[in-house]
Amino acid sequence: MLTSWRRRSLRGLALIAVAGLLAGCDLVVMNPSGDIAVQQRNLIIASTALMLLVIVPVIALTFIFAWRYRASNNDATYDPDFHHSTQLEVVIWTIPLLIIIALGAMTWISTHTLDPYRPLGRIAPGKPVPVDVKPLTVEVVALDWKWLFIYPEYGVASVNEMAAPVNAPISFRITSSSVWNTFYVPALAGMIYAMPAMETKLQAVMNQEGEFTGLSGMYSGSGFSRMNFGFRSLSPQGFDEWVAKAKSAGTPLDREAYLKLEKPSEEEPVRQYGSVEEGLFDAILGLCVAPGQMCVHEMHHIDRMGGAAEESEENRKRLDYDGRRLESGTEPSGATFPASGRAPRSLEEPQGVMPRDQPGEGPNDRGQGTAPPGAGSGPAPSQLNPRPADPHQH
């Protein structure tokens, strides 16, 4: 008896300790600091509450019915011939229908109101954006595995840290240098894709000063888990000081500096650039930062004009984007044929797959097909080149 009491006491203390640890958690999504994120939070709460209007009564009635109509309750009505009740049908169908209508209306309104491309109509509840206020433009580039922020109006840039004045509209232009990522500051707004050769936009505002965390929500390679950045929401004076500090860094961000920065690296320290080459973000967006490369918009123009005819082969070389990293000795992580220059296959098979025939191992070497150009010599996997079945004997 004493041992059992001790066990219950230890369990109770363990639960109290766990509850104490959880009390220190800050669920940012449900406690955001930006108006867009607050509206998204409210949408989550309202949608959950509407759905609980059905879920909670159904769960409660399940237990009530199970208890009331249990086998031992002789006072419960037993009616094996019951098959229809108009009153029950009205209740069962009307309540879910009303909930679906309400959810649909909320979704329709919020889809347009919270459109990331739509300019902000307010900076906080009851506070419209002043007519004379121009949004702060921030150009965001997702690199492997770090973030680059360019402030074209101020001529500065920073790596793995961005800043913005509190209660000021922010207009983001977002792209990626190589693979898909997602730009996400939970306290600011929802996540949005960063894609190479494409521009996505996000309009947002931060209503509280403080230090917040941004991240990528989409796996993009070995350094993904450390691809975080700091978001500093500052007073107007504090933001001016941050810009002045960036300008004092003196280091220019030109195309040559960007190509060095673009190389894959992990856990990059925060650093700033005192000047930015004009048009750099558009060159990044067009995949034409390196000398001699054709921009995407140039290619689109050629396509609209019907093609380049004899110049097509030369243009194709200027469009080769991934291979340049291999030439510079910085192959992208996880690169495959042909960007890596390696064969698109290896002699190792996944678990459970029949081993392929190795080169020079008997008669199975014959008739195994040929490797694609640049793939090296050796037979293709045997399961991809089955031998024809022996002809039937008649």
mmCIF file of all heavy atoms in Angstrom, residues 47 119 121 273 378:
data_model
loop_
_atom_site.group_PDB
_atom_site.id
_atom_site.type_symbol
_atom_site.label_atom_id
_atom_site.label_comp_id
_atom_site.label_asym_id
_atom_site.label_seq_id
_atom_site.Cartn_x
_atom_site.Cartn_y
_atom_site.Cartn_z
ATOM 1 N N SER A 47 -11.996 29.102 -36.806
ATOM 2 C CA SER A 47 -12.285 27.853 -37.528
ATOM 3 C C SER A 47 -12.360 26.677 -36.561
ATOM 4 O O SER A 47 -13.255 25.824 -36.668
ATOM 5 C CB SER A 47 -11.208 27.593 -38.583
ATOM 6 O OG SER A 47 -11.142 28.655 -39.513
ATOM 7 N N PRO A 119 -1.488 45.022 -51.073
ATOM 8 C CA PRO A 119 -0.942 46.058 -50.180
ATOM 9 C C PRO A 119 -1.756 46.139 -48.894
ATOM 10 O O PRO A 119 -2.969 45.929 -48.886
ATOM 11 C CB PRO A 119 -1.058 47.342 -51.014
ATOM 12 C CG PRO A 119 -1.105 46.875 -52.432
ATOM 13 C CD PRO A 119 -1.812 45.554 -52.408
ATOM 14 N N GLY A 121 -3.908 47.348 -45.893
ATOM 15 C CA GLY A 121 -4.911 48.381 -45.702
ATOM 16 C C GLY A 121 -4.872 48.975 -44.314
ATOM 17 O O GLY A 121 -5.465 50.026 -44.057
ATOM 18 N N TYR A 273 26.685 44.736 -45.419
ATOM 19 C CA TYR A 273 27.369 45.330 -46.564
ATOM 20 C C TYR A 273 26.965 46.800 -46.647
ATOM 21 O O TYR A 273 25.781 47.136 -46.608
ATOM 22 C CB TYR A 273 27.000 44.616 -47.852
ATOM 23 C CG TYR A 273 27.458 43.161 -47.897
ATOM 24 C CD1 TYR A 273 26.636 42.145 -47.414
ATOM 25 C CD2 TYR A 273 28.699 42.822 -48.412
ATOM 26 C CE1 TYR A 273 27.044 40.823 -47.453
ATOM 27 C CE2 TYR A 273 29.121 41.499 -48.456
ATOM 28 C CZ TYR A 273 28.292 40.506 -47.976
ATOM 29 O OH TYR A 273 28.701 39.199 -48.000
ATOM 30 N N GLY A 378 30.276 0.358 -67.980
ATOM 31 C CA GLY A 378 29.685 -0.583 -67.037
ATOM 32 C C GLY A 378 28.263 -0.904 -67.431
ATOM 33 O O GLY A 378 27.600 -0.125 -68.106
#
